[in-house]
Amino acid sequence: MLIPLRCVVCGTDGVLLCERCEERLTPAPPIPPPVGSDGARALFTYDEVGSSVIGALKFANAHRLAGRLGPALAAAAPRGLDVVTWAPATPANRRRRGYDQAELLAREVAGRLGVPARRLLSRGADLPQTARGRAGRAAGPRMRCRRAVSGLVLVVDDVVTTGATLATAARLLRHAGASGVELLAVAWAPPPGHDD
């Protein structure tokens, strides 16, 4: 049975993200690199329209959005990468959704750049970042690096909020041998009180 496509923002039939809503996405400003990382980039701001895209990707089974966002993510990725990985979802969220949205995004980017995608980070039973307050998110998730790594690593995630996830990933990846760690996210969530 075919599932009809509808824009995840406005509901227009026939597309996952219509042209009008895509034009309403606010480009993310330059993001300061989190501690231990070499750079961070995001496509758009997690505002009213951006949060609809992320919400659909994470909570409404719109996993096909990863393919739709892939070209823009690949275009925004730094060059000279040796491997692409992702900030893993908690096991409970992965089971609930049936997929890890950051993994889908990372595999899209890697495939378009011709770089290997590897599961370098893992996460045990832990609270998802979205279930924590801002202070809890700033502490970062409990992760570990699964293997030795070398070269420049790109960590893909869906949303950058405090940067704690990348800071944790950067520390683990550098300890495992990475010479550099960059972040690429779909959206950036402005901190409270941020002026546009």
Side-chain angles (χ1 to χ4, degrees):
M1 186 169 154
L2 295 176
I3 299 170
L5 287 178
R6 292 183 197 259
C7 175
V8 298
V9 179
C10 71
T12 296
D13 286 333
V15 292
L16 276 172
L17 181 60
C18 74
E19 218 173 277
R20 189 173 64 87
C21 289
E22 186 173 10
E23 289 171 359
R24 291 174 51 212
L25 290 167
T26 306
I31 301 170
V35 175
S37 69
D38 298 296
R41 298 168 181 82
L43 295 182
F44 52 78
T45 300
Y46 189 83
D47 55 14
E48 183 181 345
V49 178
S51 65
S52 295
V53 173
I54 296 299
L57 179 64
K58 290 176 81 161
F59 306 116
N61 200 29
H63 53 84
R64 293 179 290 181
L65 272 171
R68 176 71 171 76
L69 297 167
L73 284 167
R79 298 302 173 237
L81 298 170
D82 294 292
V83 65
V84 177
T85 193
W86 56 92
T90 63
N93 278 346
R94 187 181 174 100
R95 280 191 304 275
R96 187 178 312 110
R97 294 175 190 143
Y99 59 92
D100 182 333
Q101 70 280 356
E103 178 180 359
L104 296 178
L105 294 164
R107 292 193 182 282
E108 277 290 328
V109 171
R112 291 174 186 281
L113 297 178
V115 176
R118 302 274 186 266
R119 183 186 305 272
L120 298 177
L121 300 166
S122 65
R123 200 157 163 193
D126 190 11
L127 277 178
Q129 290 291 84
T130 54
R132 303 171 184 209
R134 193 158 186 97
R137 287 193 303 272
R142 287 190 299 224
M143 294 191 293
R144 69 179 181 84
C145 195
R146 298 165 48 103
R147 61 179 85 166
V149 63
S150 63
L152 179 59
V153 180
L154 178 66
V155 180
V156 177
D157 205 356
D158 52 3
V159 181
V160 178
T161 306
T162 63
T165 297
L166 179 63
T168 301
R171 178 178 47 80
L172 293 168
L173 291 165
R174 285 188 187 278
H175 185 71
S179 60
V181 181
E182 297 263 355
L183 170 72
L184 179 60
V186 176
W188 168 75
H194 175 77
D195 292 327
D196 294 318

